[in-house]
Amino acid sequence: MLQNILISFGIILTVAFLAAIIISICENEKRAALILLFTAIILITPFSLLLVFPFFTTVSLLLSGIILSLLILFILPLKGKPPKPSGSPISGIDERITIFSRRELMQNTLIFSDYYKQHPEHKSPDNIFRKEPGLLSLQTRFAHTYGFASAEASFATVSYLAAGVNGQKSTKKQNRDPETLTKYIKSWAKKLGALDAGITELQDYHLYTVAGRGDRYGKTIHNSHRFAIAFTVEMDYEMMSAAPAAPTVMESAQKYLSSGAIAIQIAHFIRELGYDARAHIDANYELICPLVARDAGLGEIGRMGLLITPKHGTRVRIAVVTTNIPLIKDQKKNDMSILDFCNHCNKCAVVCPAQAIPKAERRQISGTLRWQINSEACYTYWCQSGTDCGKCVISCPYSHPDNLLHRVIRTGVRRNFIFRQIAVKLDDLFYGEKPKSKNFPSWILSESEKRNFN
Ligand code: SF4
Ligand code: SF4
């Protein structure tokens, strides 16, 4: 009887390990697959030998006890001491101080000299990135003719969308039940390609005070919309796995386009119903997307300063639509397990080639308890590499593909604070403390073709 139970347990274990090995092979995670295979051999051998050698009954029993204890640890809902919530900023910020605005300043112009007169502290760090070849320059380390031209094409297409961020609303106002409309907008966003969508009330601290990009530079931002609809779009795992090489910038540019197109469509749809709506897309934001998405319940802001979503981690792009149409806001689900995981995990800080991510604890910055990355160091690396890097994004344990294996692990991470700490170590063991960049997806260019075009 005992033997039969142990043999059945051994069979279940074999199936579980086989599934995990197959998933890891499909993910092209050779190291994880090998470690799983090795562990499976050690764990399963005693169960297969117990029919012939009775001694293995004791060994199998002991092993089953250990495995079952780990399983209980995994299932038990032990929240532990929750980390302090991040809180919200006291006010909005001026977009002109962001690195994306500063990089657009043209030397020998009045705007350029005015800016550095007001912010002399930014002059020397900005001079450093200005000496580098620049994002998508063919003089950079990861230059790839086709890849960079593809990314340029995606960014150019995003710029064509700018004309649609705002527009005239229909004069025929159509009153709709907010509940049905909210459901419809979220479902349609998903149908258009979004992973998830959430709604929050627009707050002053979400908004930039003054615009810092393009023609809007220096204009005060007035946005009195009541609601913000945030949604996420997935960045492809295979493309991002080549980070910091060319596929990463191809993918991020393309997903700026996909998320932007969805935002423009939703804003247009709302205007058709007779209400104001504005889309917030790449280079045309009036607000800080990760903050809005966090308040809309889509995730938490982690160590690397990006939104970590529960199922796709930071491997997402965000776009937002603000509007006055009556909607039902989401009840913010503070997932404190994400912040707690970040407290124990330093992976993004370890892999960052620019050492731009802090390894220390969160600190108070303008009313929020958070980590602040060194955006100058990060952007300087982009200007040297030619891509937007993304090494932190793809190395984050939350960014693994959303499949059975990682869903199971994420459940344990969410439920149990002890398992959370084990999972940080397991991720290093299975995927490496500094995961290696993977090959380009085969469709991009073969190695010999790459040499010709680099
Ligand atoms: S994108 Fe690259 S350089 Fe920037 S913070 Fe992430 S890992 Fe560091
Ligand atoms: S890599 Fe680790 S520390 Fe960095 S954002 Fe992801 S979970 Fe947090």
Side-chain angles (χ1 to χ4, degrees):
M1 173 71 175
L2 179 65
Q3 266 196 351
N4 285 347
I5 295 175
L6 287 173
I7 288 170
S8 309
F9 190 74
I11 293 172
I12 296 171
L13 216 55
T14 312
V15 172
F17 269 102
L18 257 181
I21 291 168
I22 292 169
I23 291 173
S24 298
I25 292 171
C26 294
E27 287 175 4
N28 196 15
E29 296 289 357
K30 294 188 193 104
R31 175 185 166 124
L34 275 175
I35 295 173
L36 281 166
L37 182 65
F38 185 68
T39 319
I41 292 170
I42 292 178
L43 289 182
I44 294 162
T45 308
F47 292 94
S48 31
L49 290 179
L50 59 82
L51 277 180
V52 193
F53 306 105
F55 160 75
F56 282 101
T57 309
T58 324
V59 181
S60 306
L61 206 57
L62 200 71
L63 271 179
S64 310
I66 297 172
I67 294 167
L68 284 174
S69 318
L70 283 174
L71 209 63
I72 291 169
L73 185 66
F74 173 82
I75 292 167
L76 266 186
L78 286 181
K79 293 213 180 308
K81 189 175 170 222
K84 284 192 188 143
S86 317
S88 300
I90 5 185
S91 59
I93 61 158
D94 183 337
E95 192 186 17
R96 291 174 297 181
I97 64 162
T98 66
I99 200 82
F100 294 107
S101 170
R102 278 145 62 193
R103 71 175 182 175
E104 288 177 8
L105 293 173
M106 302 293 288
Q107 296 190 57
N108 305 320
T109 61
L110 196 59
I111 290 181
F112 186 93
S113 49
D114 269 0
Y115 181 82
Y116 290 106
K117 222 177 269 167
Q118 284 176 39
H119 296 280
E121 73 281 9
H122 290 156
K123 196 159 185 185
S124 58
D126 291 7
N127 280 343
I128 298 176
F129 76 67
R130 286 205 173 90
K131 284 191 194 124
E132 301 298 339
L135 191 64
L136 298 180
S137 157
L138 290 177
Q139 271 73 54
T140 50
R141 186 166 164 211
F142 296 108
H144 185 287
T145 312
Y146 282 8
F148 281 14
S150 306
E152 289 280 16
S154 301
F155 282 128
T157 317
V158 176
S159 70
Y160 304 144
L161 293 180
V165 296
N166 256 322
Q168 283 296 319
K169 62 185 173 189
S170 162
T171 47
K172 285 180 242 139
K173 196 174 250 187
Q174 303 188 39
N175 286 320
R176 291 279 180 260
D177 161 40
E179 203 169 321
T180 323
L181 183 66
T182 301
K183 214 166 144 196
Y184 180 83
I185 289 177
K186 286 184 179 179
S187 306
W188 191 45
K190 288 181 190 168
K191 179 77 187 145
L192 293 174
L195 283 174
D196 205 357
I199 295 171
T200 184
E201 268 177 308
L202 188 64
Q203 306 293 339
D204 286 347
Y205 64 77
H206 291 147
L207 292 163
Y208 288 121
T209 49
V210 179
R213 311 274 308 259
D215 297 345
R216 301 177 305 119
Y217 190 92
K219 293 191 179 143
T220 305
I221 288 179
H222 301 285
N223 184 324
S224 56
H225 292 158
R226 179 165 175 214
F227 293 105
I229 309 161
F231 52 86
T232 50
V233 169
E234 182 178 7
M235 292 199 283
D236 181 69
Y237 182 75
E238 193 188 14
M239 292 288 278
M240 293 304 293
S241 295
T248 186
V249 70
M250 293 166 70
E251 182 61 14
S252 74
Q254 184 56 32
K255 293 307 157 73
Y256 275 123
L257 175 56
S258 324
S259 56
I262 299 172
I264 298 279
Q265 278 177 278
I266 291 177
H268 195 102
F269 161 80
I270 294 172
R271 292 195 292 265
E272 280 295 310
L273 299 181
Y275 291 85
D276 289 321
R278 191 205 195 268
H280 301 265
I281 67 171
D282 180 44
N284 220 313
Y285 301 111
E286 285 185 342
L287 41 71
I288 303 165
C289 287
L291 211 48
V292 176
R294 181 201 71 168
D295 289 353
L298 299 185
E300 269 298 338
I301 297 174
R303 186 180 290 277
M304 66 179 92
L306 300 176
L307 182 81
I308 304 185
T309 61
K311 292 184 185 168
H312 299 83
T314 46
R315 209 164 39 80
V316 294
R317 280 273 167 256
I318 311 163
V320 170
V321 172
T322 53
T323 178
N324 268 337
I325 201 162
L327 294 169
I328 307 288
K329 70 168 185 171
D330 281 271
Q331 292 310 318
K332 188 172 162 340
K333 316 167 269 281
N334 280 74
D335 186 353
M336 301 312 278
S337 67
I338 296 181
L339 282 178
D340 190 42
F341 193 92
C342 267
N343 275 336
H344 296 289
C345 169
N346 248 339
K347 201 161 205 162
C348 51
V350 171
V351 299
C352 174
Q355 300 190 343
I357 302 174
K359 289 183 180 150
E361 298 204 341
R362 292 180 292 166
R363 56 191 181 93
Q364 280 290 344
I365 303 166
S366 313
T368 48
L369 187 59
R370 66 180 176 102
W371 291 280
Q372 185 169 48
I373 78 154
N374 179 340
S375 54
E376 288 91 0
C378 170
Y379 189 67
T380 301
Y381 183 76
W382 291 15
C383 293
Q384 291 162 347
S385 62
T387 72
D388 54 0
C389 178
K391 196 68 198 163
C392 50
V393 170
I394 196 60
S395 307
C396 177
Y398 279 98
S399 296
H400 291 299
D402 183 33
N403 56 34
L404 178 68
L405 173 65
H406 300 297
R407 261 179 238 159
V408 170
I409 303 290
R410 281 173 191 143
T411 307
V413 164
R414 212 168 32 248
R415 291 176 70 86
N416 189 299
F417 78 100
I418 304 172
F419 184 78
R420 220 146 37 227
Q421 294 172 31
I422 298 173
V424 170
K425 304 284 173 223
L426 284 182
D427 199 89
D428 284 350
L429 173 71
F430 282 90
Y431 303 98
E433 211 181 333
K434 281 187 169 190
K436 287 196 184 117
S437 305
K438 300 220 180 77
N439 289 337
F440 286 22
S442 57
W443 65 267
I444 294 187
L445 279 180
S446 70
E447 283 305 312
S448 58
E449 285 169 316
K450 245 188 287 169
R451 271 196 293 278
N452 290 338
F453 283 104
N454 275 345

